[in-house]
Amino acid sequence: MLDVKDATVQAALRRACEEAGLPDSLRGCVHPLLRDPEGEWPPCCGGGCMPCASTLADVALRTLELLGTPRRSPVGG
């Protein structure tokens, strides 16, 4: 389990958000995915939500990559 308050995690998350165009104000939405990086992540529902679950998953995946701890289980479960 990652400590989402850790400065290194926050820096990687900030960069991943910038790369994906996810506003800083929505960064906290990625925290649950980072806390359980190998857990089941929700898929896109197709309802046009903002932020989309796919975007959050993409940011979480990129954050984990930047930290050198890529996800081993498939996205969505």
Side-chain angles (χ1 to χ4, degrees):
M1 178 188 288
L2 288 178
D3 177 5
V4 296
K5 294 181 181 181
D6 180 82
T8 303
V9 174
Q10 282 296 310
L13 176 55
R14 193 173 309 113
R15 179 174 166 190
C17 285
E18 288 172 5
E19 290 176 5
L22 187 69
D24 275 349
S25 62
L26 298 176
R27 200 175 350 160
C29 297
V30 182
H31 289 177
L33 304 180
L34 295 176
R35 286 188 188 110
D36 189 11
E38 299 303 322
E40 188 172 327
W41 291 358
C44 173
C45 68
C49 303
M50 178 54 187
C52 177
S54 291
T55 301
L56 298 178
D58 289 346
V59 169
L61 286 171
R62 180 64 178 139
T63 301
L64 293 171
E65 288 173 0
L66 291 169
L67 292 169
T69 57
R71 182 177 168 91
R72 292 180 300 270
S73 61
V75 175

